[in-house]
Amino acid sequence: MNWKLRFKMEKLKEQEINLVPEKSFGSVPINVALVFPNAYELGMTNLGFQAIYREINSRMDSLGHRAFLFKGFPPYTIEALKPLSEYDIIGFSVSFEMDYLNMLKILDDAGIPLFASERENPIVMAGGPAITFNPEPLSPFVDFFVIGEGEEVIHEILDTFRENAGRSKSYILEKIVQIKGVYVPAFYEVRYGDKGEVKEFKATPPAPLKIKRRWVKDLDAFTTETVVITPNTEFKDMFLIELSRGCGRNCRFCMAGYCYRIPRARKLERIIERAKFAAQLGKKVGLVGAAVSDYPRIDELVKEFAKNNIKFSVSSLRADSLSKTLIEGLSSSGHKTLTIAPEAGSQRLRNVINKGITEENVLDAVKLAEIYGIKNIKLYYIIGLPTETEEDIKEMIEFLIKVREIMAEGKNKDGILTVSVNPFIPKPFTPFQWIGMEDPTSLEGKIKKLQSNLKPKGIRILYESPRISQVQAALSRGDRDIAKLLYRVHRLGGNLTALKRFEVDGKTVEYYAHREFPLDAVLPWDHIDVGLSKEYFIKEYQKAKEGRTTRRCTEDVCSVCRICAK
């Protein structure tokens, strides 16, 4: 092992406070290397990664160690400084499509065959948001995928592995494929049409034709919070606690609102208890959820925090569910920036995407921030949304200038208005999954227009490159053939932007990113069942084209998608 890498990893470990209790084993445990295919600093902010780490180590027959991408070095685990090849199972936690090449690099650098068909051990599994939406681009490289939330299913997987220890990989996979929520690509055949489109999925028994997404009904049965405290992360002063999971807002561009439905909230008393624990550690509480301001008892929680002198921060807010109590609590906790997401440039376009907020909601939030001394405002927008026109961009510019003027006229005149602009990427399992991404050249023109009109007004513009977004769109919408492109680029050095130079059977990055599917097409991810019917998505797509909205989910009435009744 390289001494520089050893020194770096030992230093990282020394600075950690690991809240997983140590244990002794009566027999040889199942050894799992849990890998986040990006930098340590990013991985240690990921609650899903830490939650599975906790679950693996909660068992008396398994031991989980963490590994990350250290550029220029082969992968070893933090806890034991062992190579990945010495573990029984390698589990990748994948949140972003742009980490796919990192996965291949990690396996290759560890001396592990990339293709599942050429590998007997260790067994490689993968899970996480990107995997749940569409695992196909990685299917030749991974032995099995976890579709959905992993806290329950990881135990079923480890039980199955323990019961069949010593058997061949093919035998173990035959047992694992029978676990609900587990997808084993080797049991599925994809048939393509003359134009390269997916025509049919065939499943080999005992594999099910559809893989049903797993989801945790009772969040309070599991603890999803910071497990390893480290100063080497962006949130070094925070103890992260998951407040809720899922979202019922029905925003038509957002995967989380569909793939993590049903909306679920943790008990107030449990959150308060864990927040007090965090305060004892001297940490600010970071509340994590799809929309923290939507938490049913958010004002009660903030008042309890104030009573106990607990400082807190939030991962996300909705302009239409902000309260004075919440804003005052954030201000008292030292918040300097209020972040909200109008998403679309006009009310017409917000109706198309079903965002459910108005300009008045945003302006009210800006005024509340001023009242309670939060000086800076950050607004998130998406450009290239379906049906977007130049008029929508014009309205966006006019509104942002209005926000800047309001700030300049009040106590926030020295505050910074930041606008973060991201190209729209059509995602699987959303009503826009059939639509192709807008051309990068057109998107770049819109960004230049925003810059030329907003920068002179003192508005800060951040944006993601449309060219990079195009690659992300291709990977998120890809079929198994795109794996051939990934493999080729990996062998040539691993630069994702190089994907644009290659094609497989006529399929290019542009093909995957911009193609439009007929509504009756077999989609590359059709073998995944997230609990919502294709008919439901088609209905929402048609409503979007007509500019009609869908009301949000509520606990007392369920008549929108009917997933709660299943």
Side-chain angles (χ1 to χ4, degrees):
M1 183 180 184
N2 183 284
W3 70 269
K4 289 183 179 179
L5 178 61
R6 176 182 287 273
F7 178 78
K8 180 179 179 67
M9 295 181 76
E10 286 180 342
K11 186 175 180 181
L12 286 171
K13 186 181 177 183
E14 286 172 4
Q15 294 176 320
E16 292 180 343
I17 300 174
N18 196 319
L19 301 178
V20 172
E22 294 186 7
K23 56 189 175 182
S24 57
F25 297 96
S27 59
V28 178
I30 304 168
N31 287 289
V32 182
L34 190 62
V35 185
F36 189 86
N38 209 309
Y40 173 93
E41 293 76 11
L42 285 176
M44 293 312 298
T45 66
N46 188 290
L47 276 189
F49 179 74
Q50 296 207 37
I52 299 304
Y53 176 74
R54 175 193 289 275
E55 293 307 315
I56 293 170
N57 287 299
S58 70
R59 298 169 59 100
M60 294 309 298
D61 66 346
S62 62
L63 182 63
H65 292 160
R66 294 163 294 138
F68 304 88
L69 178 69
F70 291 99
K71 291 185 177 179
F73 298 105
Y76 287 80
T77 53
I78 292 284
E79 286 82 356
L81 301 179
K82 285 171 53 177
L84 300 189
S85 57
E86 295 186 15
Y87 287 80
D88 301 308
I89 300 173
I90 298 174
F92 285 96
S93 177
V94 190
S95 297
F96 309 108
E97 293 90 352
M98 303 303 278
D99 285 340
Y100 288 176
L101 277 178
N102 290 343
M103 290 179 60
L104 301 190
K105 178 173 176 54
I106 287 169
L107 288 173
D108 216 2
D109 288 351
I112 296 169
L114 292 183
F115 290 97
S117 59
E118 300 173 0
R119 186 176 60 234
E120 179 62 23
N121 58 68
I123 288 180
V124 175
M125 69 175 180
I131 297 302
T132 291
F133 309 137
N134 181 16
E136 286 306 285
L138 293 174
S139 59
F141 312 114
V142 175
D143 291 306
F144 68 90
F145 298 95
V146 172
I147 305 300
E149 298 167 6
E151 289 95 334
E152 291 176 340
V153 71
I154 187 63
H155 293 283
E156 296 169 31
I157 291 166
L158 293 174
D159 287 343
T160 302
F161 188 88
R162 167 63 68 193
E163 292 164 4
N164 297 282
R167 302 271 195 164
S168 67
K169 184 179 82 169
S170 60
Y171 186 90
I172 293 173
L173 291 179
E174 187 174 326
K175 299 299 180 183
I176 284 178
V177 78
Q178 299 176 56
I179 300 173
K180 180 182 176 182
V182 173
Y183 170 42
V184 183
F187 284 83
Y188 295 82
E189 179 187 352
V190 183
R191 188 170 66 84
Y192 293 94
D194 295 337
K195 297 180 180 179
E197 76 280 17
V198 174
K199 294 294 290 185
E200 184 182 14
F201 280 94
K202 288 186 176 181
T204 301
L209 184 59
K210 289 268 191 178
I211 302 95
K212 294 184 180 293
R213 175 208 59 158
R214 293 294 293 262
W215 63 284
V216 176
K217 292 182 175 63
D218 180 12
L219 286 187
D220 289 306
F222 298 92
T223 302
T224 306
E225 62 186 31
T226 296
V227 178
V228 180
I229 299 170
T230 173
N232 298 294
T233 179
E234 181 183 353
F235 304 125
K236 60 184 178 181
D237 297 321
M238 285 190 203
F239 187 90
L240 303 179
I241 300 174
E242 184 185 54
L243 186 69
S244 59
R245 191 178 298 182
C247 181
R249 287 288 189 159
N250 296 299
C251 297
R252 293 179 177 130
F253 62 89
C254 177
M255 290 190 301
Y258 297 100
C259 286
Y260 291 103
R261 196 173 295 185
I262 302 169
R264 290 145 288 160
R266 294 183 185 273
K267 291 180 181 176
L268 177 70
E269 295 74 20
R270 179 64 174 165
I271 299 296
I272 293 170
E273 174 196 331
R274 301 313 297 160
K276 289 179 178 178
F277 172 75
Q280 291 172 1
L281 296 172
K283 299 292 181 181
K284 178 186 283 191
V285 171
L287 297 175
V288 178
V292 170
S293 52
D294 279 355
Y295 182 68
R297 303 176 71 182
I298 187 65
D299 283 355
E300 292 178 71
L301 181 61
V302 172
K303 289 174 182 177
E304 283 295 321
F305 283 176
K307 190 186 303 182
N308 291 277
N309 197 30
I310 296 172
K311 305 298 182 185
F312 73 100
S313 182
V314 298
S315 63
S316 59
L317 294 168
R318 289 270 312 190
D320 59 338
S321 58
L322 287 177
S323 67
K324 293 181 180 179
T325 301
L326 176 55
I327 293 293
E328 183 178 16
L330 288 170
S331 177
S332 299
S333 295
H335 250 251
K336 303 299 183 185
T337 302
L338 178 67
T339 302
I340 48 182
E343 308 290 11
S346 68
Q347 190 58 49
R348 181 199 70 81
L349 199 51
R350 279 189 289 275
N351 290 343
V352 168
I353 66 173
N354 205 56
K355 181 62 184 180
I357 66 171
T358 64
E359 288 186 359
E360 287 71 26
N361 294 141
V362 178
L363 294 177
D364 287 345
V366 171
K367 292 169 185 175
L368 263 182
E370 178 185 356
I371 291 170
Y372 290 101
I374 299 177
K375 294 182 62 174
N376 305 315
I377 303 294
K378 186 173 185 179
L379 303 177
Y380 279 95
Y381 281 90
I382 302 172
I383 57 171
L385 286 162
T387 78
E388 184 179 74
T389 66
E390 288 299 319
E391 186 62 31
D392 297 309
I393 300 297
K394 180 183 176 183
E395 284 192 42
M396 175 181 169
I397 292 169
E398 292 172 350
F399 176 69
L400 290 170
I401 292 173
K402 182 178 181 180
V403 172
R404 176 69 264 180
E405 290 173 348
I406 289 173
M407 292 174 65
E409 292 168 359
K411 293 186 293 185
N412 284 356
K413 59 184 177 181
D414 296 327
I416 299 171
L417 174 58
T418 302
V419 180
S420 178
V421 179
N422 297 282
F424 168 67
I425 297 173
K427 293 286 189 174
F429 297 111
T430 69
F432 296 141
Q433 62 186 337
W434 291 278
I435 301 173
M437 177 184 168
E438 187 173 324
D439 182 77
T441 302
S442 172
L443 291 168
E444 287 165 351
K446 292 178 179 180
I447 290 171
K448 288 178 182 177
K449 184 171 185 178
L450 291 171
Q451 290 175 319
S452 64
N453 283 274
L454 297 178
K455 278 189 174 182
K457 300 294 184 180
I459 299 172
R460 185 183 178 203
I461 306 293
L462 305 176
Y463 64 92
E464 182 176 283
S465 163
R467 307 288 167 174
I468 296 297
S469 296
Q470 183 184 52
V471 174
Q472 187 183 349
L475 294 175
S476 70
R477 308 178 83 225
D479 52 34
R480 287 194 185 187
D481 278 352
I482 203 172
K484 300 172 186 176
L485 292 178
L486 282 171
Y487 179 74
R488 190 175 297 177
V489 171
H490 166 70
R491 284 294 176 225
L492 291 174
N495 185 348
L496 265 176
T497 55
L499 271 173
K500 291 195 65 181
R501 299 203 305 266
F502 303 108
E503 66 175 62
V504 172
D505 299 329
K507 298 178 180 180
T508 63
V509 163
E510 287 84 358
Y511 166 83
Y512 285 112
H514 305 297
R515 63 177 169 171
E516 297 202 358
F517 295 105
L519 293 181
D520 60 353
V522 177
L523 302 173
W525 45 88
D526 267 356
H527 54 306
I528 306 298
D529 180 3
V530 298
L532 296 166
S533 68
K534 185 177 282 191
E535 289 72 26
Y536 168 73
F537 287 117
I538 290 173
K539 181 180 177 182
E540 283 296 306
Y541 173 53
Q542 292 170 337
K543 288 177 71 175
K545 289 196 296 182
E546 297 167 6
R548 294 193 292 132
T549 60
T550 298
R551 67 174 181 80
R552 63 178 293 188
C553 300
T554 58
E555 291 184 0
D556 52 331
V557 180
C558 182
S559 60
V560 176
C561 69
R562 305 300 298 167
I563 193 172
C564 300
K566 294 181 181 178

